[in-house]
Amino acid sequence: MPNDASIKIDGKEFPYPVMIGSEGEKAVDVRNLRKDTGYIFYDQGYGNTGSCESQVTFLDGDNGILRHRGYPIEQLAEHSNFIETAYLVIYGELPTAKQWKTFSDLLRANSAIETQMQRVFEGFPKDAPPMAMLSSIVGSLAAHYHQLATNNFEKDLQQFDLAAAMAISKIRTIGAMIYRHSRGLPFLHPKDLPFCDNLLHLMFSEPYQDYVAIPEVTKALNLILLMHTDHEQNCSTSTVRMVGSSGANLFTSLSAGINALSGPLHGGANTAVMNMLQSIHDEHDDGTRFIEAAKGGSKSNRLMGFGHAVYRNFDPRARVIGQACDVVLKKLGKSDPLLDIAHNLEQAALKDDYFISRKLYPNVDFYSGIIFRALGIPTNMFTVMFAIGRTPGWIANWKEVASNPKGRIYRPRQVYTGVVKRDYVTIAKRS
Ligand code: CMC
């Protein structure tokens, strides 16, 4: 294994140290490249750029491996639940019984949204996009709890446990309020219930009748949120880190992450998948038209729920969720024609040269919507559910940035390709 690398530019060779991650990930440390050579690396989309060191999640896209703090996602899916995995991702270890109680108590004590904050909803029309509401209201947590969210790393870290618990618990409550606001339903108060039961209560209880979740439903919700807990340096997590690197507080950084997640190529893909499956169903199609359109190379016609920026293999989360779909539907005594369509579409794409040659496989979003649908969650809420699930990962990454004494503000460079210097012309002289 080399212990350094060299880059030859303009006939001169410059040595750079090689870094090896704990799982063997190799990188060349080029922090001094521009200073040494006057050059920068051009890496559009950062596909070859390590923007940070992180200890939260290990992802091997070639082999379809995903581990949080060393634990394989498949083991967490089988033995853990969303809140325990959230603790693991944020604090680095599975909680002891005492830590579990403290964390659960903190989540419970911070689950409600104060009346003043509830009024923010009055400014939104019923049909406002759920993710736009979510990012605004999470952003307003920074205004509401400004003593806790100070834009000062040291002070924010002293209050981190409380801010983190607030974020996890309140984003769940806000998500449920968005659901009710969109339907003109009155808001409900959180109860003394486990996290996922409370989410179902906040969404589906009636003022006159409590929603009582059957264990299969809570289990499925736990699984699907857990599957979204963290995913290395994806677009929204990198956004949270970038915003956090300026010293911005946790709530402000999370609000930015939520906006990044809303795009159809990222968290919005689960909604797009469901719309695609529904359209195939409504038009009694076999999906060929979506597959053929996707092969045209246009970004707006991609096969939604397929492909990934780093996986060149099955997304392990898709495997777990795909298998869970069948089990959950069976346990709930439901059948869903969209699940059959999804299975057929997956098989057709996996046999198609276009998808084979580009190593495009189903990702986490391909099957997650089927489970959300079986739980009674409407399509326009899917990305909000993704955000509730991803919150612990964003928090863990924000903490790494905030607690790094040697951290720098994120500031990529660019290759300018615009107009070169010219002189100002008054309006009368412009043609
Ligand atoms: N349908 C058709 N073609 C595709 C797709 C797709 N879903 N995904 C990638 N390609 C093509 C792409 O156009 C490129 O073609 P060519 O080599 O001819 O230029 C080739 O495959 C390689 O693309 P890539 O470099 O692997 O893809 P990327 O890193 O630019 O984009 C992605 C990754 C996830 C944005 C993309 O696969 C995509 O748009 N998928 C559909 C949307 C989706 O399901 N997103 C959810 C991602 S997982 C959860 C999350 O991160 O939120």
Side-chain angles (χ1 to χ4, degrees):
M1 192 67 71
N3 51 20
D4 64 11
S6 64
I7 294 167
K8 199 169 173 185
I9 296 181
D10 295 338
K12 213 173 150 200
E13 207 154 308
F14 300 88
Y16 292 99
V18 162
M19 291 171 73
I20 311 283
S22 54
E23 287 279 0
E25 183 90 356
K26 299 189 280 286
V28 181
D29 178 351
V30 291
R31 275 176 286 184
N32 289 328
L33 179 72
R34 189 169 178 279
K35 197 168 80 186
D36 294 347
T37 67
Y39 284 78
I40 58 169
F41 276 138
Y42 176 66
D43 183 21
Q44 204 254 331
Y46 310 132
N48 297 286
T49 298
S51 61
C52 59
E53 287 180 51
S54 178
Q55 298 180 352
V56 182
T57 288
F58 171 67
L59 199 168
D60 174 350
D62 293 326
N63 295 305
I65 293 172
L66 176 63
R67 297 185 201 129
H68 297 318
R69 304 283 188 183
Y71 294 102
I73 189 73
E74 295 81 3
Q75 286 186 28
L76 293 170
E78 195 179 341
H79 303 294
S80 186
N81 61 38
F82 172 59
I83 290 301
E84 188 185 59
T85 301
Y87 185 97
L88 168 73
V89 162
I90 295 171
Y91 293 106
E93 294 295 337
L94 288 165
T96 60
K98 194 169 162 221
Q99 288 165 334
W100 172 251
K101 180 165 181 337
T102 310
F103 190 52
S104 305
D105 287 350
L106 208 52
L107 291 175
R108 210 166 283 137
N110 288 286
S111 56
I113 299 299
E114 290 172 28
T115 322
Q116 226 180 348
M117 267 198 79
Q118 292 188 13
R119 294 207 194 98
V120 177
F121 276 96
E122 287 167 17
F124 295 125
K126 265 170 71 175
D127 62 352
M131 287 296 278
M133 289 195 263
L134 186 65
S135 74
S136 308
I137 299 170
V138 171
S140 71
L141 287 172
H144 207 79
Y145 301 103
H146 56 91
Q147 277 105 344
L148 191 64
T150 63
N151 291 6
N152 170 336
F153 284 149
E154 226 163 89
K155 209 165 167 208
D156 284 354
L157 282 168
Q158 282 162 14
Q159 319 186 81
F160 174 78
D161 291 350
L162 178 57
M166 262 193 184
I168 295 173
S169 211
K170 289 192 193 298
I171 288 176
R172 181 268 325 268
T173 306
I174 293 165
M177 289 167 83
I178 289 170
Y179 168 83
R180 294 187 77 90
H181 176 76
S182 307
R183 278 161 185 73
L185 298 170
F187 296 144
L188 298 173
H189 293 295
K191 290 193 161 205
D192 186 10
L193 288 170
F195 188 89
C196 287
D197 296 79
N198 227 343
L199 174 53
L200 292 163
H201 151 70
L202 286 163
M203 288 176 87
F204 300 133
S205 281
E206 299 291 351
Y208 54 88
Q209 192 174 38
D210 278 353
Y211 173 92
V212 183
I214 58 168
E216 283 77 15
V217 167
T218 333
K219 200 171 163 209
L221 185 57
N222 250 307
L223 175 75
I224 200 132
L225 293 183
L226 189 158
M227 281 295 125
H228 288 89
T229 311
D230 190 45
H231 207 235
E232 212 224 35
Q233 299 311 315
N234 57 85
C235 178
S236 55
T237 303
S238 300
T239 301
V240 168
R241 288 187 84 112
M242 177 167 272
V243 174
S245 78
S246 74
N249 65 71
L250 178 64
F251 300 135
T252 308
S253 307
L254 292 176
S255 170
I258 290 167
N259 282 323
L261 185 72
S262 69
L265 298 188
H266 192 12
N270 51 20
T271 309
V273 170
M274 200 44 61
N275 292 337
M276 174 178 76
L277 297 176
Q278 191 65 54
S279 154
I280 294 173
H281 177 259
D282 293 348
E283 290 168 34
H284 307 292
D285 199 346
D286 64 355
T288 314
R289 105 190 122 95
F290 281 95
I291 292 188
E292 289 310 312
K295 287 151 67 172
S298 146
K299 230 175 14 193
S300 45
N301 281 333
R302 286 187 170 168
L303 189 63
M304 300 316 280
F306 254 74
H308 198 274
V310 284
Y311 288 119
R312 294 291 170 262
N313 205 318
F314 252 87
D315 178 340
R317 302 167 301 171
R319 230 189 260 283
V320 173
I321 294 178
Q323 284 161 4
C325 273
D326 295 307
V327 177
V328 169
L329 289 178
K330 209 165 156 201
K331 282 209 171 135
L332 296 180
K334 290 187 179 180
S335 65
D336 189 340
L338 299 198
L339 179 59
D340 298 330
I341 293 173
H343 281 317
N344 292 339
L345 199 62
E346 176 187 349
Q347 288 315 312
L350 292 177
K351 280 189 208 126
D352 192 298
D353 272 351
Y354 175 92
F355 294 90
I356 296 170
S357 61
R358 289 168 177 76
K359 300 192 175 166
L360 302 172
Y361 294 92
N363 60 48
V364 67
D365 292 319
F366 195 68
Y367 284 109
S368 61
I370 308 267
I371 297 196
F372 285 140
R373 210 166 111 102
L375 302 183
I377 293 162
T379 310
N380 72 342
M381 282 293 295
F382 289 0
T383 315
V384 171
M385 303 305 284
F386 190 152
I388 295 171
R390 183 55 54 86
T391 300
W394 290 332
I395 294 173
N397 276 276
W398 179 90
K399 191 181 181 206
E400 278 194 343
V401 170
S403 58
N404 181 357
K406 292 198 180 137
R408 295 184 64 191
I409 189 164
Y410 280 33
R411 181 30 174 114
R413 289 186 179 264
Q414 62 168 14
V415 177
Y416 177 70
T417 55
V419 177
V420 295
K421 182 180 178 287
R422 53 183 166 169
D423 292 321
Y424 182 82
V425 179
T426 54
I427 194 162
K429 289 189 181 162
R430 288 175 215 155
S431 55

